[in-house]
């Protein structure tokens, strides 16, 4: 009887282990390989819907490490395709879990490590690294953002947005939602001043000039330097056609003018912002507050009510301000996927 | 005109002045009445029965003559501002919904309650409705960031009706994350409004500290609330939310409204107001001042 039981146990073990032995990569989580294969073969829409259901990003990272050696072997177009696919897969998984903060940024850095191993960095690598910036910004991780900038500089030293990304990282450290209560008022001022220096430096690059000046203006608002804020904003509107950036420039200009006591100009600035985005909560409330203080309570009430009684969520560029390039993440990731040939 | 008729008319006019002084929006300029809410507590209980003679009020250091004292006579409009950002998903959201229902039951039929949900987007869940009316909160969900300061500003800027006192109770489990208006701008709004703002903050987790220093920006929040005549409640667990709302309403309802016409002070700019009770060992919490016209 005992030998029979032993043989049955061995047979059962073989049956259970068979899928792993047939698995070319030996992943601990079998579905990861299946999803990666489907993603590589072009069923990306279906996999993108599944990525938000991943329970553990750490486990996924471990699985990708196990899969990688046999997934990307040899050379040639097929290998390059698989290399790009696994990198894009990791980035898409990170993007699907950007609210997990450090978990998502570690996955981006996993992808970044694979890119940095590429001896001849190409357009795909560049696109993937820029998508990485966007995802890390969405995860609100300034330390990871700075580290990513160091990594990207290794392969793309002339990337014009590098200085801007470092400046955004420093600006993130001044955000109310970043480590609330842990930054002393003195340190907050230091971070703001450093952010201003970095944005001024970043503004020297033509490709980053507009956004750097816009963010420099906002930091100067926080520092109480209204004239410097207005001076920076003077650079923005003439140099861009992007409605979100122009809206923010007009909003920030209104706030600077308001605090300087130039209320009529402030009112006009808020109103011009609302011409671009009539339903935006930020400029509507800023204008309402100014009117209320000026004694025009009826109009202030009307504007405040218009914000409160909406049933939909209006587009407001201010809500996309803090997480840097995250607003571009969908477009950047589309570009990365499109480069998997 | 006979002497009696003249006296009667004079009394009528004086009474009308007292009523109008209590009802008119204040903070306009010299010669116009100012109404200062003042809560008086002894041993953590409201103190009733005080008259103008029991108070001493100073406007920019100059003692003023209090012309009207009212308490519990005016109906109240309560605006509840609830932080329903992502962090309150789950049990806390359900507790908040219950708190709204219980708060409605604390109000009289002549009082009114409205609810503003605060995420990054602000939304009036229901407009002012009579106290005791079942509030429609079943569909309330939690998501997004927290525009707390913007929410308070929107509540302050809402039109008010004469003869009704305005109380804003704002609840958050964290802090403001995405408001457009900084707290200083909201403070400027409150300086020209009669609304009293009570702030209720839950610390992060049950069992966490209920000390104010456990709350980010506690000092700023406390300064803002007390400037309006309110206060900051720091809670260490969600079950205390209704109790805090109840105390905020009771404190407001039982507070006196001291009416006076500023005399001997320049009209413009900020006016520091100090209120004392001339006898007894009481805690007095009053609006810190107003912006003159």
């Amino acid at each position: 009887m005992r030998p029979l039981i032993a043989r049955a146990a061995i047979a059962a073990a073989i049956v259970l282990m068979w899928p792993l032995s047939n698995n070319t990569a030996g992943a601990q989580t079998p579905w990861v390989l299946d999803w990666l294969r489907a993603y590589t073969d072009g069923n990306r829409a279906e996999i993108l819907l599944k990525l938000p259901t991943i329970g553990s990003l750490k486990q996924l990272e471990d699985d990708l490490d196990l899969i990688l050696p046999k997934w990307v072997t040899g050379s040639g177009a097929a290998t390059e395709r698989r290399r790009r696919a696994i990198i894009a897969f990791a980035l898409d998984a990170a993007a699907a879990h950007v609210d997990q903060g450090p978990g998502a940024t570690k996955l981006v850095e996993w992808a970044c490590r694979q890119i940095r191993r590429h001896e001849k960095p190409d357009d795909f690598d560049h696109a993937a690294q820029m998508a990485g910036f966007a995802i890390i910004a969405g995860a609100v991780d300034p330390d990871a953002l700075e580290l990513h900038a160091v990594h990207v500089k290794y392969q793309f030293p002339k990337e014009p947005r590098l200085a801007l990304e470092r400046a955004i990282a420093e600006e993130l450290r001044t955000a109310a939602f970043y480590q609330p209560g842990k930054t002393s008022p003195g340190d907050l001022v230091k971070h703001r001043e450093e952010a201003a220096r970095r944005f001024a430096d970043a503004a020297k690059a033509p490709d980053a000039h507009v956004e750097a000046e816009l963010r420099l203006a906002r930091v100067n608002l926080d520092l109480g330097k209204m004239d410097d804020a207005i001076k920076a904003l003077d650079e923005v509107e003439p140099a861009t056609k992007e409605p979100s950036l122009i809206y923010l420039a007009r909003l920030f200009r209104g706030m600077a003018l308001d605090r300087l006591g130039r209320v009529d100009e402030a009112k006009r600035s808020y109103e011009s912002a609302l011409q671009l985005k009539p339903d935006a909560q930020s400029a509507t409330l800023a204008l309402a507050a100014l009117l209320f203080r000026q004694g025009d309570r009826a109009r202030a009430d009307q504007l405040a009510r218009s914000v409160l009684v909406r049933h939909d969520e209006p587009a407001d560029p201010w809500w996309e301000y803090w997480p840097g390039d995250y607003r571009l993440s969908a477009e950047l990731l589309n570009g990365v996927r499109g480069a998997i040939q | 005109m006979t002497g009696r008729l003249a006296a009667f008319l004079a009394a009528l006019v004086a009474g009308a002045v007292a009523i109008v002084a209590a009802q008119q929006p204040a903070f306009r300029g010299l010669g116009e009445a100012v109404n200062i809410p003042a809560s008086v507590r002894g041993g953590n209980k409201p103190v009733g029965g005080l008259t103008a003679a029991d108070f001493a009020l100073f406007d920019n250091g100059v003692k003023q003559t209090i012309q009207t004292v009212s308490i519990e006579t005016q109906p109240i409009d309560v605006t509840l501002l609830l932080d329903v950002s992502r962090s309150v998903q789950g049990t806390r959201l359900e507790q908040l919904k219950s708190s709204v229902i219980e708060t409605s039951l604390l109000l009289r039929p002549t009082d009114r309650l409205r609810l503003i949900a605060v995420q990054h987007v602000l939304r009036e869940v229901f407009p002012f409705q009579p106290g005791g009316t079942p509030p429609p909160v079943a569909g309330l969900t939690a998501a997004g960031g927290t525009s707390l300061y913007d929410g308070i500003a929107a509540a302050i800027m809402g039109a008010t009706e004469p003869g009704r006192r305005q109380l804003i109770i704002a609840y958050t489990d964290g802090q403001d994350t995405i408001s457009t208006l900084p707290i200083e701008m909201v403070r400027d709004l409150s300086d020209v409004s009669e609304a009293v703002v009570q702030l209720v903050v839950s610390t992060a987790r049950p069992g966490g500290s209920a000390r104010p220093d456990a709350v980010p920006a506690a000092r700023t929040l406390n300064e803002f609330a007390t400037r309006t005549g309110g206060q900051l409640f720091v809670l260490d667990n969600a079950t205390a939310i209704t109790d805090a709302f109840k105390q905020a309403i009771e404190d407001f309802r039982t507070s006196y409204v001291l009416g006076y016409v500023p005399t001997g002070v320049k009209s413009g700019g900020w006016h520091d107001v100090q209120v004392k009770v001339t006898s007894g060992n009481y805690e007095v919490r009053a609006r810190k001042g107003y912006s003159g016209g």
Side-chain angles (χ1 to χ4, degrees):
Chain A
M1 194 62 165
R2 280 186 197 169
L4 191 60
I5 292 170
R7 284 193 208 119
I10 292 168
I14 290 170
V15 167
L16 285 170
M17 295 286 287
W18 184 255
L20 287 176
S21 68
N22 259 351
N23 186 327
T24 56
Q28 294 187 0
T29 317
W31 53 258
V32 173
L33 192 55
D34 290 340
W35 287 14
L36 183 54
R37 281 179 179 143
Y39 185 92
T40 307
D41 291 343
N43 296 338
R44 279 168 217 141
E46 178 193 336
I47 300 305
L48 287 176
L49 288 174
K50 290 183 178 183
L51 287 176
T53 65
I54 294 174
S56 167
L57 295 183
K58 177 69 179 73
Q59 182 63 59
L60 176 64
E61 191 183 329
D62 292 344
D63 288 340
L64 292 176
D65 272 332
L66 285 171
I67 291 169
L68 187 66
K70 291 193 178 177
W71 182 260
V72 181
T73 59
S75 58
T79 301
E80 173 59 11
R81 184 161 173 268
R82 288 159 74 95
R83 182 190 79 92
R84 291 183 177 194
I86 198 169
I87 288 168
F89 180 86
L91 289 174
D92 269 327
H97 293 272
V98 76
D99 57 333
Q100 288 193 29
T105 60
K106 284 187 178 128
L107 208 46
V108 171
E109 280 313 302
W110 184 92
C112 180
R113 279 197 296 279
Q114 315 322 317
I115 294 167
R116 281 183 277 135
R117 286 183 182 141
H118 200 206
E119 287 178 4
K120 292 182 183 174
D122 54 24
D123 288 345
F124 169 82
D125 298 314
H126 180 260
Q129 294 290 43
M130 299 315 289
F133 273 127
I135 298 165
I136 295 171
V140 189
D141 191 338
D143 293 339
L145 202 57
E146 286 221 57
L147 185 60
H148 193 62
V150 170
H151 293 159
V152 172
K153 189 173 180 179
Y154 171 68
Q155 286 179 315
F156 304 100
K158 293 184 181 165
E159 166 51 50
R161 288 183 72 82
L162 282 177
L164 179 62
E165 298 294 344
R166 286 191 64 245
I168 291 173
E170 190 65 7
E171 188 189 19
L172 269 176
R173 295 186 177 102
T174 72
F177 51 80
Y178 178 69
Q179 294 190 335
K182 292 183 184 174
T183 310
S184 70
D187 283 347
L188 197 56
V189 172
K190 284 181 190 166
H191 283 305
R192 285 175 176 153
E193 287 171 346
E194 176 60 20
R197 273 192 291 274
R198 291 187 185 188
F199 281 128
D201 185 48
K204 295 172 189 166
D207 285 3
H209 177 75
V210 168
E211 194 172 343
E213 293 283 3
L214 179 73
R215 290 179 180 272
L216 174 60
R218 200 211 60 77
V219 172
N220 277 325
L221 282 179
D222 278 350
L223 286 168
K225 297 179 179 177
M226 303 306 148
D227 290 321
D228 288 346
I230 292 171
K231 190 176 161 194
L233 290 168
D234 286 342
E235 300 287 322
V236 174
E237 205 165 325
T240 183
K241 287 185 168 44
E242 193 178 329
S244 292
L245 295 181
I246 298 173
Y247 170 89
L248 287 170
R250 293 177 181 178
L251 173 67
F252 296 159
R253 182 185 296 276
M255 296 176 89
L257 291 165
D258 197 343
R259 284 156 78 172
L260 284 171
R262 291 157 62 177
V263 291
D264 288 338
E265 293 173 81
K267 203 186 308 183
R268 284 197 292 274
S269 203
Y270 292 142
E271 286 168 344
S272 69
L274 288 170
Q275 280 171 357
L276 288 174
K277 307 274 182 188
D279 298 327
Q281 180 173 292
S282 49
T284 303
L285 286 179
L287 177 60
L290 187 154
L291 293 170
F292 189 87
R293 293 191 332 265
Q294 294 297 303
D296 189 351
R297 297 208 175 187
R299 185 142 176 249
D301 170 55
Q302 186 188 26
L303 287 167
R305 280 209 64 71
S306 73
V307 163
L308 295 176
V309 300
R310 291 192 66 90
H311 294 292
D312 57 352
E313 183 171 316
D316 192 331
W318 170 242
W319 293 334
E320 297 173 332
Y321 176 85
W322 281 105
D325 289 356
Y326 185 62
R327 72 189 190 282
L328 307 171
S329 60
E331 181 189 334
L332 290 168
L333 285 166
N334 267 339
V336 170
R337 284 181 225 117
I340 303 170
Q341 299 302 328
Chain B
M1 185 184 293
T2 65
R4 281 186 191 168
L5 181 58
F8 172 73
L9 288 173
L12 205 63
V13 167
V17 166
I19 291 167
V20 166
Q23 289 181 350
Q24 266 188 350
F27 320 134
R28 294 289 172 80
L30 203 59
E32 293 195 32
V34 174
N35 292 316
I36 298 291
S39 159
V40 183
R41 296 184 86 84
N44 210 31
K45 286 194 163 107
V47 175
L50 300 178
T51 66
D54 296 307
F55 290 96
L57 188 151
F58 298 84
D59 185 321
N60 276 349
V62 178
K63 191 166 182 197
Q64 302 293 317
T65 303
I66 297 170
Q67 290 163 324
T68 59
V69 175
S70 58
I71 181 170
E72 294 199 60
T73 55
Q74 290 180 325
I76 62 176
D77 282 347
V78 179
T79 298
L80 267 184
L81 276 162
L82 290 191
D83 174 355
V84 286
S85 58
R86 188 171 51 221
S87 58
V88 307
Q89 283 172 347
T91 310
R92 186 154 291 188
L93 178 63
E94 296 310 307
Q95 287 164 338
L96 285 174
K97 289 180 188 177
S98 298
S99 292
V100 177
I101 294 168
E102 290 167 48
T103 299
S104 179
L105 295 174
L106 296 172
L107 300 178
R108 300 168 184 165
T110 50
D111 298 328
R112 298 189 302 183
L113 176 70
R114 72 167 166 167
L115 175 62
I116 295 174
V118 173
Q119 296 172 346
H120 50 285
V121 60
L122 303 173
R123 188 169 63 88
E124 183 179 73
V125 178
F126 57 86
F128 280 119
Q129 58 181 39
T133 307
V137 292
L140 203 55
T141 56
T146 307
S147 299
L148 180 69
Y149 301 156
D150 284 353
I152 295 173
I156 288 173
M157 290 189 283
T160 58
E161 290 180 26
R164 303 189 70 88
R165 296 180 62 202
Q166 305 298 316
L167 172 63
I168 297 169
I169 304 176
Y171 166 82
T172 179
D173 73 330
Q175 65 168 48
D176 190 280
T177 61
I178 195 70
S179 278
T180 311
L181 303 177
I183 188 69
E184 294 78 18
M185 266 194 187
V186 185
R187 180 202 62 204
D188 292 344
L189 295 178
S190 73
D191 285 349
V192 293
S193 159
E194 288 194 352
V196 171
V197 180
Q198 308 269 35
L199 294 172
V200 180
V201 181
S202 289
T203 53
R205 291 287 172 262
S209 171
R211 293 183 2 240
D213 59 8
V215 175
R219 186 173 167 184
T220 304
L221 293 174
N222 190 50
E223 280 175 0
F224 171 70
T226 54
R227 191 175 172 104
T228 72
Q231 60 182 320
L232 171 68
F233 297 83
V234 178
L235 311 178
D236 64 354
N237 66 73
T239 55
I241 292 175
T242 304
D243 289 340
F245 290 175
K246 184 178 176 185
Q247 189 179 338
I249 291 170
E250 183 193 81
D251 189 75
F252 182 71
R253 194 193 294 289
T254 57
S255 60
Y256 296 85
V257 179
L258 311 177
Y260 71 99
V261 175
T263 310
V265 291
K266 290 183 184 169
S267 61
W270 174 252
H271 289 243
D272 262 332
V273 172
Q274 274 192 319
V275 175
K276 297 177 188 176
V277 173
T278 53
S279 61
N281 187 20
Y282 301 127
E283 181 201 338
V284 180
R285 193 174 55 253
R287 173 175 275 271
K288 298 275 190 232
Y290 64 94
S291 272

